Amino acid sequence: MTSMPVSERLGSHLKRAEQALSATKTAVLRPAGVTVAQYSALIHLSENPGISAAALARLCGVTPPTMNTVLNNLQDRALIERTPHEWHKNVLETRLTDEGRAVMADADARAVRVERALAAEFTDEERAALVGLLGRCVELLETERGRTQK
């Protein structure tokens, strides 16, 4: 017997919600021909044209090697282009191609349907409370992680 039942562990509930969201987005993005990681990269690239792979990895919450794999796959499909930075030749700037913008728009419409369905499950007040509570979770967990790294 553990010292805390799984049913009382908030982390377990957070993980289940994250897994359900990820599985649902995986399913709805499949017809658009992209993975959740690729979609995340495309949407951040649409808002940050020219961003470096390292900065994109931070925005997407993945490691730089993982992001390079994602970007290589997107580049192989001609959804993005990577060119040397004007001043920093060893930094590649990444931008969506026209085809990449089209795929991103299709994928985004599919993902937004999921986000809207999820949001519709809550009242305005409940959504605001949930966002606030999740923000507090993030702050506490980042503080705890910082304590373990000292």
Side-chain angles (χ1 to χ4, degrees), residues 28-29 32-35 39 42 101-113:
V28 301
L29 291 172
V34 295
T35 66
Y39 166 67
L42 291 173
R101 278 187 282 284
V103 168
M104 192 281 301
D106 178 31
D108 193 45
R110 295 168 185 280
V112 165
R113 281 196 295 275

Side-chain angles (χ1 to χ4, degrees), residues 35-97:
T35 66
V36 173
Q38 290 170 339
Y39 166 67
S40 181
L42 291 173
I43 197 147
H44 284 293
L45 282 168
S46 73
E47 293 181 356
N48 303 281
I51 193 170
S52 70
L56 187 58
R58 285 188 293 276
L59 284 175
C60 294
V62 299
T63 64
T66 297
M67 183 50 63
N68 277 325
T69 299
V70 169
L71 292 176
N72 286 336
N73 290 333
L74 293 173
Q75 190 171 18
D76 289 347
R77 293 180 53 203
L79 300 180
I80 63 166
E81 60 185 5
R82 299 169 84 184
T83 56
H85 186 277
E86 184 178 344
W87 302 303
H88 306 288
K89 299 300 180 193
N90 59 342
V91 172
L92 293 176
E93 294 183 322
T94 307
R95 290 185 171 73
L96 296 176
T97 62

Side-chain angles (χ1 to χ4, degrees), residues 18-39 107 110-111 114:
E18 188 275 331
Q19 287 174 324
L21 178 61
S22 182
T24 302
K25 283 192 175 178
T26 295
V28 301
L29 291 172
R30 190 172 293 117
V34 295
T35 66
V36 173
Q38 290 170 339
Y39 166 67
R110 295 168 185 280
V114 172

Side-chain angles (χ1 to χ4, degrees), residues 16 44 61 86 115 126 142:
R16 284 186 59 226
H44 284 293
E86 184 178 344
E115 294 288 348
E126 288 172 329
E142 287 176 347

